Structure formats: C-alpha cells, structure tokens
C-alpha cells in the first residue's frame, strides 16, 4: 500500500522477489482496501504511513488479526508504529535485504499465531463469522454451488462459507486435526468413530438417529491413515 505510484511499483517489485510472499493485491489508497477487505484473503499488509485521508497507522489499527509492516521516509513514526503491534518499521528507500529481514520476522510471528489460534475468521452467507476448530465435524461442498462450502457443526447446525476452496481451508485448519477424505469433504479426525477401507462412520448422528457415514476415497486414504497413527 502506497499512495505514490513509483513507490508502490518499487515495493511490489521487491515483494515479487521474495519466495515467502504471494501478492494478493496492491492498493494506492486505504479507502479502496477497506472497501474490499471482506473479500480479501491475506495475512500481511505492507503499507506506507503518510497518505491522504486514512493514514497507515490508523489503517494498521483497523486490520484486526492481520500482520502489518510499515514503510515511511520519516523516523519519528517508529514509536507509533510499534504501538499498533507492527511486525517491523522500514525507512525508505526500502532495500531487498531489509525487506527480507522484516518478512522473516513476519513468518515467525505468523507461525506462532497459527499454533496458538483455535479459530479462523470466515465469510458466510450471513456475513463475517468466527469458526472455532472444536465446533467442526466436517466440511463439504455446497449442493447448490460448489464454490461455497457447508460446515456441519457439533450441535448439528450448518454454516455456509462463501466462495472458498478446500486448499485455502486446509491451510487455515490445524494440519494434524483435519484432512481431506474425498473430493467433496474435509473431516475433523476427532469426529471419527469407526472406519474401513472405503467408509468412515462418525460419532455424530443424523436427525433420524443414524450415525453419519462418509466416503473415504483411494486418493486420500493414505494421508488419513497416517494422521490417525500420528
């Protein structure tokens, strides 16, 4: 994020050279980012501080649960930057080596956060929601639109996640507790009661009193078995 095009282009070029980073989108105004925030899936924001309208420090404070790295031409903002829990504070002109150092710090902080987190923030058909890992029984492709996913929860309710793929979900879920079992479903291992070569029976029941049964496909069987033995 930078309101000046040359600075934005240069920063984007540096980010493209770092393998740890995947650029989701670039913006030249905080207002535009905030307008699209609900539809964006990202973990880190790199932003200038001095910008017209909403400044970078204010923006950083508004990006809850996101990591932030600030860039600026002025050293006197440093204390304010760390007041909003910034990962790092870079003085322009930013070098690749200095950016790499900041990104390495962000990766460490991200991993610590992921390890301690017991929920993810998701976009549902009713708006933003917090989904706790221990609420999930399994997740399946929605019948009406495969781009959406349906979460079957411990209390039997159903939560519709909008426009998200299984790969993105698996990156956010604890890898030792959830796994793909076929093309259309992700399962919480804690929910498993019995299983055989091609079927998994869960501890949870349907409304008619029968236990939920899911298909275990050839493609995902070995990973499922590996996680159960871990």
């Amino acid at each position: 994020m930078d309101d000046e095009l040359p600075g934005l282009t240069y920063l984007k070029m540096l980010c493209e050279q770092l393998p740890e980073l995947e650029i989701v989108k670039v913006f030249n105004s905080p207002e535009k980012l905030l307008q699209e925030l609900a539809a964006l899936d990202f973990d880190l924001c790199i932003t200038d501080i001095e910008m017209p309208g909403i400044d970078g420090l204010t923006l950083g404070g508004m990006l809850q649960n996101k990591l932030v790295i600030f860039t600026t031409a002025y050293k006197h903002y440093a204390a304010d930057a760390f007041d909003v829990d910034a990962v790092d504070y870079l003085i322009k002109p930013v070098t690749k080596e200095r950016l790499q150092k900041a990104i390495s710090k962000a990766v460490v902080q991200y991993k610590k956060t992921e390890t301690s987190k017991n929920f993810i923030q998701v976009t549902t058909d009713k708006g933003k929601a917090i989904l706790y890992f221990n609420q999930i029984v399994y997740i399946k492709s929605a019948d009406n639109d495969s781009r959406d996913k349906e979460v079957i929860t411990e209390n039997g309710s159903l939560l519709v996640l909008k426009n998200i793929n299984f790969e993105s979900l698996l990156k956010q879920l604890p890898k030792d507790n959830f796994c793909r079992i076929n093309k259309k479903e992700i399962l919480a291992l804690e929910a498993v009661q019995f299983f055989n070569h091609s079927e998994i029976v869960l501890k949870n029941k349907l409304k008619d009193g029968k236990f939920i049964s899911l298909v275990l496909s050839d493609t995902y069987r070995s990973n499922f078995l590996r996680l159960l033995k871990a």
Side-chain angles (χ1 to χ4, degrees), residues 3 19-20 50 62 70 72-73 76 89-90 104 110-111 113 117 132 136 141 143 159 178 201 212-213 216 218:
D3 62 306
E20 302 94 330
E50 284 208 343
M62 299 170 72
F70 289 112
T72 183
H76 62 268
Y89 174 92
L90 308 180
S104 296
Y110 174 77
K111 288 181 177 178
T113 302
K117 229 168 58 167
Y132 288 90
I136 304 169
S141 294
D143 295 331
L159 186 69
F178 292 86
V201 178
I212 298 173
S213 175
L216 176 59
D218 293 341

Side-chain angles (χ1 to χ4, degrees), residues 118-202:
N118 63 352
F119 68 89
I120 54 174
Q121 182 175 284
V122 292
T123 301
T124 75
D125 55 340
K126 297 178 182 177
K128 288 286 187 180
I130 297 296
L131 177 61
Y132 288 90
F133 301 142
N134 62 5
Q135 292 179 330
I136 304 169
V137 177
Y138 70 100
I139 305 171
K140 68 184 188 75
S141 294
D143 295 331
N144 296 332
D145 188 340
S146 62
R147 291 173 299 179
D148 298 339
K149 305 296 178 283
E150 297 177 353
V151 180
I152 290 73
T153 65
E154 278 286 347
N155 63 11
S157 63
L158 187 146
L159 186 69
V160 178
L161 310 184
K162 297 300 293 180
N163 196 24
I164 188 168
N165 58 47
F166 283 126
E167 288 73 22
S168 178
L169 278 170
L170 286 171
K171 286 180 181 178
Q172 299 178 70
L173 295 169
K175 62 181 181 180
D176 294 330
N177 303 103
F178 292 86
C179 74
R180 190 95 172 257
I181 57 171
N182 56 59
K183 288 184 178 180
K184 296 185 177 181
E185 291 166 331
I186 290 174
L187 172 66
L189 296 176
E190 180 65 27
V192 176
Q193 181 174 208
F194 309 114
F195 66 91
N196 58 35
H197 188 72
S198 59
E199 181 185 27
I200 301 172
V201 178
L202 308 187

Side-chain angles (χ1 to χ4, degrees), residues 24-25 27 32-42 66 121-124 127-128 162-164 168:
V24 175
K25 197 164 184 179
F27 293 89
K32 290 180 181 178
L33 186 153
L34 293 172
Q35 286 172 6
E36 298 185 29
L37 186 60
L40 294 173
D41 182 12
F42 68 99
K66 305 294 184 185
Q121 182 175 284
V122 292
T123 301
T124 75
K128 288 286 187 180
K162 297 300 293 180
N163 196 24
I164 188 168
S168 178

Side-chain angles (χ1 to χ4, degrees), residues 10 38 46 59-60 86 112 127 142 148 154 164 177-178 201 207 220 222:
Y10 175 70
I46 304 175
L59 175 66
K112 287 181 179 178
D148 298 339
E154 278 286 347
I164 188 168
N177 303 103
F178 292 86
V201 178
K207 291 181 180 179
Y220 302 98
S222 60

Side-chain angles (χ1 to χ4, degrees), residues 9-23 95-97 99-100 103:
T9 303
Y10 175 70
L11 184 59
K12 180 175 181 289
M13 179 196 70
L14 289 182
C15 289
E16 289 172 339
Q17 297 176 38
L18 303 183
E20 302 94 330
L21 291 182
E22 178 184 349
I23 299 173
T95 64
K96 179 182 177 181
E97 291 72 22
L99 179 60
Q100 177 68 74
I103 296 304

